[in-house]
Amino acid sequence: MQINSDRSVLLAPPSKRVVKFLHQRAFRSKTDSIISIGFIITLSIVIYSLVNWAFIGAVWSADDVELCRTSSGACWSVIDARYRLILFGLYPYELHWRPILACIAIVVTVLLSCLPMMWSGKRLTLTWLVGFSSFYLLMEGRLLGLQEVSTGEWGGLALTLFLFSSVVLIGMPMGLGLALARRSTLPIIRHGVSLFIDTIRSLPLLTTLFVAAVVMPIVLPDWMVGDKIWRVIIAFSLFFACYQAEVFKGGFQGVSKGQFEAGDALGLSYFQVLHKIVLPQVFRNSLPGSINMVVITFKETAIVIIIGFFDVLASAHAAFGNGLWAPYYLEVYVFVALIYWSFIFSLSQYGAYLKRRMSIASH
């Protein structure tokens, strides 16, 4: 009976289909009707309150900041007045065109990497070399004959994108190398890498970054200290690589030993077996976990605020850090949340697209 009822709903016109669906699922009995009506009323009140706060009663221009005190809605004037601080941090104000171009370069690089026609080792490597180099050269400026801006002055969304892209770019091949070393036939390499991975994974990320940012300059000679941001990126990449190695390990376990033996029987070398037979399957098997790691890494870049970096979250704190804008911290947090949501939602949707594409290719 339930199957016949569902089939009649599917065959009905769209308007009648919705009415029938609601009648069958939300108003099937008196109890269901009371619960559904209560839920609809509560949801309507919440949506109206949000729309009224965010749009109808909101103040939008920085010139109208005095209206924020009497308005019932959000004071988006704080975003209009302080968005440059949130997006670019302490970067010199008159040079903001450089982080704008740098962010565009890295976003274009990511978009190009998503195109199926770019999915080859050489094209991806060349794309990322050009995109990442453009980002760094524009932000730093000295090698292009521009005014030098040290990494200590970088901040906001530009710094967050730099940290995220650097960690994934360095950590992903490092993770693959650790996963391969863990499968080595030499016990000293296999056990040594396993111990290293387990040790790094047992430490909180904050501890690893704190050691790189604060402890290493104390224990290392001056010529080995280097720039703080690169120490943090390497430590963050190492942390990412150890977790990603576990993801790749699951991908390797999904490939049967018979395929290794078939490659050997065909006379292929170890690297040819890896390149032509094993790694494509490993990447496909580990795709969900890899997407999850990338999403988590983007969110975890916010932790660098604790070790003194002026990322987008720290910039947001500074944006409402005076008497004029302090009451409007909620609007700033909503703006930053939308930035994080837009990036993470895009990554998740692209991951879902890749899984559908890989699923079709495997059939």
Side-chain angles (χ1 to χ4, degrees):
M1 292 296 290
Q2 181 67 33
I3 295 174
N4 293 332
S5 177
D6 292 343
R7 186 176 299 169
S8 64
V9 170
L10 293 174
L11 294 176
S15 57
K16 292 185 178 179
R17 197 182 306 167
V18 173
V19 173
K20 284 188 176 180
F21 177 83
L22 290 175
H23 177 71
Q24 293 177 356
R25 300 300 174 90
F27 300 96
R28 190 167 43 187
S29 64
K30 289 183 179 179
T31 305
D32 289 350
S33 300
I34 292 172
I35 294 174
S36 299
I37 291 172
F39 176 76
I40 291 171
I41 292 174
T42 305
L43 185 64
S44 301
I45 293 173
V46 170
I47 291 176
Y48 174 76
S49 300
L50 284 176
V51 171
N52 181 59
W53 179 81
F55 300 105
I56 299 174
V59 179
W60 298 88
S61 173
D63 299 330
D64 301 328
V65 63
E66 293 298 328
L67 298 176
C68 292
R69 297 177 182 176
T70 57
S71 171
S72 62
C75 181
W76 299 118
S77 305
V78 63
I79 305 301
D80 187 28
R82 311 287 277 179
Y83 74 94
R84 283 199 173 199
L85 179 60
I86 298 173
L87 295 181
F88 308 123
L90 301 176
Y91 207 88
Y93 186 86
E94 67 277 8
L95 301 177
H96 279 178
W97 62 272
R98 282 162 52 179
I100 291 174
L101 291 179
C103 289
I104 291 175
I106 208 72
V107 170
V108 169
T109 301
V110 172
L111 292 177
L112 286 176
S113 304
C114 294
L115 299 176
M117 62 179 293
M118 301 298 293
W119 293 349
S120 71
K122 291 181 180 178
R123 290 177 182 176
L124 282 177
T125 303
L126 182 62
T127 302
W128 275 96
L129 276 177
V130 172
F132 193 77
S133 301
S134 302
F135 182 94
Y136 186 82
L137 292 175
L138 281 167
M139 292 291 288
E140 201 267 347
R142 182 181 53 182
L143 296 176
L144 294 179
L146 304 171
Q147 177 182 336
E148 182 180 1
V149 179
S150 67
T151 54
E153 298 177 89
W154 297 11
L157 181 61
L159 179 62
T160 297
L161 286 178
F162 178 67
L163 289 171
F164 168 69
S165 56
S166 302
V167 169
V168 175
L169 197 61
I170 298 172
M172 193 64 78
M174 197 185 294
L176 181 59
L178 289 174
L180 289 171
R182 203 169 191 175
R183 298 173 56 85
S184 172
T185 55
L186 298 175
I188 188 171
I189 295 178
R190 186 171 64 250
H191 295 306
V193 170
S194 298
L195 179 63
F196 176 76
I197 291 175
D198 291 340
T199 301
I200 296 294
R201 291 179 65 213
S202 65
L203 298 173
L205 175 59
L206 180 58
T207 304
T208 307
L209 299 185
F210 186 81
V211 169
V214 179
V215 178
M216 288 183 68
I218 300 174
V219 300
L220 293 178
D222 292 341
W223 62 272
M224 290 183 64
V225 172
D227 198 336
K228 178 181 175 182
I229 195 169
W230 285 112
R231 293 199 307 273
V232 169
I233 285 173
I234 291 172
F236 203 156
S237 303
L238 200 58
F239 189 87
F240 174 88
C242 289
Y243 276 89
Q244 185 61 36
E246 290 299 295
V247 175
F248 283 136
K249 176 185 172 185
F252 276 109
Q253 289 174 341
V255 182
S256 66
K257 291 183 179 179
Q259 300 200 37
F260 290 91
E261 295 168 357
D264 293 336
L266 291 172
L268 299 177
S269 66
Y270 172 75
F271 292 104
Q272 287 176 323
V273 172
L274 278 181
H275 175 64
K276 297 182 181 298
I277 300 176
V278 177
L279 287 184
Q281 298 179 72
V282 170
F283 290 139
R284 178 185 301 161
N285 295 338
S286 58
L287 186 59
S290 299
I291 296 294
N292 192 42
M293 282 297 302
V294 170
V295 169
I296 290 174
T297 300
F298 186 80
K299 290 190 291 186
E300 286 186 337
T301 54
I303 207 171
V304 299
I305 187 176
I306 299 176
I307 52 175
F309 283 104
F310 212 72
D311 75 323
V312 66
L313 194 58
S315 303
H317 289 167
F320 59 81
N322 59 40
L324 178 61
W325 300 116
Y328 312 116
Y329 63 91
L330 182 59
E331 288 82 347
V332 175
Y333 280 129
V334 169
F335 181 66
V336 173
L338 286 174
I339 292 174
Y340 275 99
W341 178 84
S342 60
F343 278 94
I344 291 171
F345 182 75
S346 302
L347 287 172
S348 300
Q349 290 303 302
Y350 182 66
Y353 161 73
L354 282 181
K355 282 190 281 187
R356 288 196 300 271
R357 185 183 177 91
M358 294 294 183
S359 175
I360 292 173
S362 64
H363 287 85

